[in-house]
Amino acid sequence: QVQLVESGGGLVQAGGSLRLSCAASGRIFSTSVMGWFRQAPGKEREFVAAIRWRDGDTYYADSTKGRFTISRGNAENTVFLQMSSLKPEDTAVYYCAVGSHVFAYGVTTKGAYDYWGQGTQVTVSS
């Protein structure tokens, strides 16, 4: 069993930055992938970024590439999402997720992830 807790959301002006954190309790296997997804009102939950725990390989959605950076923290089982050049369309609830067999389904696939956090709200004003 893994529990995920996100933090760091808030209100920011367009062009600003925020850093989200996700702390995981429980064992994260070397084969695990930790990812960030987001869901805006009335829209499907979509992939944002992911990192493979074993080697730190990263993956990004086209909409966030070059603006967002996912990384592992020095503390065990922590992952960050540094968001820069934020746009109003980035407004959403951001969720942290982890899965042990993500690549069997695809890193961008919601169903590939086994555990999810409760989410943190990010609001970007224009």
Side-chain angles (χ1 to χ4, degrees), residues 12-18 38 62-68 83-92 94 122-126:
V12 64
Q13 288 189 330
S17 300
L18 277 177
R38 66 187 181 186
D62 288 342
S63 60
T64 60
K65 198 175 299 182
R67 299 189 299 124
F68 291 9
M83 304 186 295
S84 303
S85 302
L86 283 161
K87 306 173 182 179
E89 51 263 44
D90 293 317
T91 295
Y94 283 70
V122 171
T123 303
V124 184
S125 63
S126 57

Side-chain angles (χ1 to χ4, degrees), residues 52-121:
R52 185 161 59 184
W53 208 250
R54 178 183 65 203
D55 53 18
D57 277 359
T58 57
Y59 309 86
Y60 295 94
D62 288 342
S63 60
T64 60
K65 198 175 299 182
R67 299 189 299 124
F68 291 9
T69 301
I70 188 171
S71 61
R72 293 176 299 187
N74 292 327
E76 190 174 351
N77 295 355
T78 303
V79 66
F80 301 105
L81 184 69
Q82 178 68 46
M83 304 186 295
S84 303
S85 302
L86 283 161
K87 306 173 182 179
E89 51 263 44
D90 293 317
T91 295
V93 177
Y94 283 70
Y95 296 90
C96 178
V98 65
S100 299
H101 305 287
V102 169
F103 287 102
Y105 305 96
V107 69
T108 65
T109 303
K110 296 187 294 294
Y113 294 80
D114 304 309
Y115 300 100
W116 292 81
Q118 293 299 307
T120 185
Q121 176 70 47

Side-chain angles (χ1 to χ4, degrees), residues 10-33:
L11 174 64
V12 64
Q13 288 189 330
S17 300
L18 277 177
R19 190 175 82 154
L20 305 183
S21 300
C22 175
S25 62
R27 186 176 178 184
I28 303 297
F29 296 96
S30 62
T31 56
S32 293
V33 172

Side-chain angles (χ1 to χ4, degrees), residues 34-48:
M34 291 190 76
W36 286 96
F37 286 73
R38 66 187 181 186
Q39 188 167 16
K43 294 189 176 182
E44 292 287 322
R45 192 171 298 190
E46 64 176 7
F47 172 75
V48 173

